[in-house]
Amino acid sequence: MSNYFDTSIEFVKGIGPQRAKLLGEELSVFTYNDLLQYYPFRYEDRTRFYKIGELNESLPSVQFVATLVNMQVVGVGRRARLVATAKDDSGRIELVWFKGVSWMAKKLQPGVNYLIFGKPTKYGSKLNIAHPEMDVLTKGNSTGGKLLPVYSTTEKLKAKYIDSKAISKFIAGLIQPALPHVKESIPPEVVHRLKLMPKAEAIYHIHFPQNAQTLEKARFRLKFEELFYVQMQLLSLKSGRSKKYKGKVYDNSGLLTRFYNEHLPFELTEAQKRVIKEIYKDMKSGIQMNRLLQGDVGSGKTIVAFICMLIAIGGGSQAAMMAPTEILAEQHYEGLKPFAKAMGLQIAKLTGSTKTSERKKLHIALETGVLNIIVGTHALLEEKVKFNELGLAIVDEQHRFGVAQRSKLWSKNEDLFPHVLVMTATPIPRTLAMTLYGDLDVSVIDELPAGRKPIKTIHYYDSHRLKVNGFIKKQIEEGRQVYIVYPLIEESEKMDMKGLTDGYESTRRAFPEYHVSIVHGRMKSEDKAFEMERFVKGETHIMVATTVIEVGVNVPNASVMVIENAERFGLAQLHQLRGRVGRGSDQSYCILMTDVKLSADARTRISTMVKTNNGFEIADTDLKLRGPGDLMGTQQSGVLDLKLADLAKDAAILKLARDTASQLLSEDAELAKPEHHPLKLHLQKLRQSRVNWSSIS
Ligand code: ADP
Ligand code: MG
């Protein structure tokens, strides 16, 4: 079915085959649809005219009308510049050109009135404007009243005279004939209720806004639409799946009861109990579970995971837990092992570094069902890994696996898919969870175990080291232990290694009376284990380490976490590191050491850490600082491929979109009503293209 909007842009007035080819190569703009969705990235305010006397350097680019006086070329050769003065009845301002000097000098004429557009900047004590746009004042441009769209373009395009203005002209040539073809696919009832600008109008006004209000309405409409379609896809996937995929019924609570009665090491928090109930209900339901388990660092996800495993094992099946890295797999394995042992269950670990001979044994044990629990990395996904019956797959994603990899685990069971529980190591902002994991049901552990004192976080500059050392000494005298963490990243590994070993030496010198351990990723695993063990047993007082301890240690007696060069860590990592302390009943501290010079972002990260212990709040700030792409590395999922909407800023629109989609599907799950027919067709089309959530049809 060919669509008007799939037509090649070579047929747009002023484009033609050669420019069309270039626009395709440079901007990936191929069709009418692409061009109309090539939205301006900002707008110049041409709605008002300034007076020269009003100009100051805090203004953005502005326009004003003035007469040109005093034009002259100053300097020679490559240093030549054109200096002119513009004058109106309120004052004078200097205009300067460093490029195209002789061309401009020929073009401009003193005594003539110009419409001038540019950014005032302070030069010495005076204001000037470098490279202003100069248009001779005419009837056509003297009324102003416009927001001028600015499109991004490339050097290659500019060399062929395709600048922002040219792109705007192309769009102007297409928009009138195209608008009548634009169909409204959001149901009329929704458009009406939410007072959305009609689609055709929105497309027009995003390119040619009359004023700030129409622009805002157009942007709102198009952002809403984008997010609405993402949510429609996710939610219909969710409701479709519960009908399509049956799940094995697990209703034998024998093992669970035994664990509760005989081996529960502590009273579960209310949040843990609630979440376990939600999961058990899913696993009993006969429908495959697809649930996201969120909980802050230290909220006790491990024991919840284990209890859910017991539900599957109690029903005669096996459980698997997959982590994105070997270190995390190791941590989960170490965390689960004591519970499994207490219950007499067989547990093993499988990662990329598992020896072949060991692997073979594991494969057999899994296939025969001797092994109850396996913990590992994506090595678990290999073809050779077969289960007797996989009942529960827990995936610790840390934002790294996509939907595709998740579902690979399903295929481990041919007749019935295993129940799937997705966990994340650190909280994800609600907006991201709604989009990235919008197809899953969500459980949140929103409570820390009782008796924990909130960790106190303090920021010190390196120059206060003596004070910090004094504090550490006092803590150790009171019987506590201390972590000192150094950054180590691959790009600067050699220097970082030196920072770590120097840090180790100076720590030993500063605390001659105490024992100091050192652990880093380059050590042999036996040596690492040996040093860890000494610290766990309390034989050493200070552990100097790299981020290997971000995960993998649990020493309740350690109450101080010193993070060196804290400005070099990301927020999620800082929060994860801080989560290593505060696990006992003593007051814990996190000390962030930094250089005096800090970037604005680094300052925000540090002050956020000092201000709050709440992982969800931290995740929100992180999203604002870094943007969703960086945060996730999940561009391939397509879900985040948004043209206009910004998950950090448009949380309210996203919520509206999700609620609207959810209500619509609850009233008409099959979209069978005639008024939902266009929506249904549009969704079908999106499902084929998969990426463009706002495509026009
Ligand atoms: P995370 O959610 O970060 O994975 P863990 O599962 O590692 O957290 O739990 C953190 C610490 O809290 C562990 O030492 C664990 O034994 C302990 N813990 C978990 N749940 C409780 C509870 N309900 N009461 C007391 N301590 C708990
Ligand atoms: Mg954990």
Side-chain angles (χ1 to χ4, degrees), residues 321 329 332-333 336 347-351 373-377 380:
M321 177 127 159
H332 289 313
Y333 177 67
L336 293 168
I347 182 171
K349 188 179 65 170
L350 175 64
T351 68
I373 301 171
I374 186 123
V375 180
T377 54
L380 293 179

Side-chain angles (χ1 to χ4, degrees), residues 505-562:
E505 288 308 325
S506 60
T507 304
R508 284 184 39 169
R509 275 197 305 275
F511 304 98
E513 66 274 44
Y514 298 124
H515 298 290
V516 184
S517 283
I518 179 166
V519 171
H520 57 81
R522 285 277 165 270
M523 283 165 73
K524 281 199 204 126
S525 26
E526 304 97 272
D527 298 346
K528 234 186 330 195
F530 177 76
E531 286 294 327
M532 290 269 205
E533 195 58 28
R534 292 211 307 154
F535 188 70
V536 171
K537 284 191 191 143
E539 291 169 12
T540 55
H541 306 96
I542 301 175
M543 157 93 79
V544 173
T546 58
T547 48
V548 290
I549 65 143
E550 181 182 333
V551 292
V553 283
N554 188 12
V555 182
N557 189 48
S559 66
V560 182
M561 165 71 61
V562 180

Side-chain angles (χ1 to χ4, degrees), residues 266-269 272 296-303 449 452 554 583:
F266 34 68
E267 176 81 10
L268 295 176
T269 63
Q272 284 171 320
D296 207 343
V297 182
S299 62
K301 293 185 287 289
T302 311
I303 195 162
R452 297 247 179 102
N554 188 12
R583 299 190 159 221

Side-chain angles (χ1 to χ4, degrees), residues 13 52 116 167 226 237 263 309 371 442 466 476 485 513 539 579 590 604 629:
K13 195 172 147 220
I52 290 176
I116 303 171
I167 292 173
E226 208 167 41
L237 192 68
H263 301 291
M309 289 177 164
L371 200 53
V442 181
L466 281 180
I476 298 176
V485 177
E513 66 274 44
E539 291 169 12
C590 174
T604 308

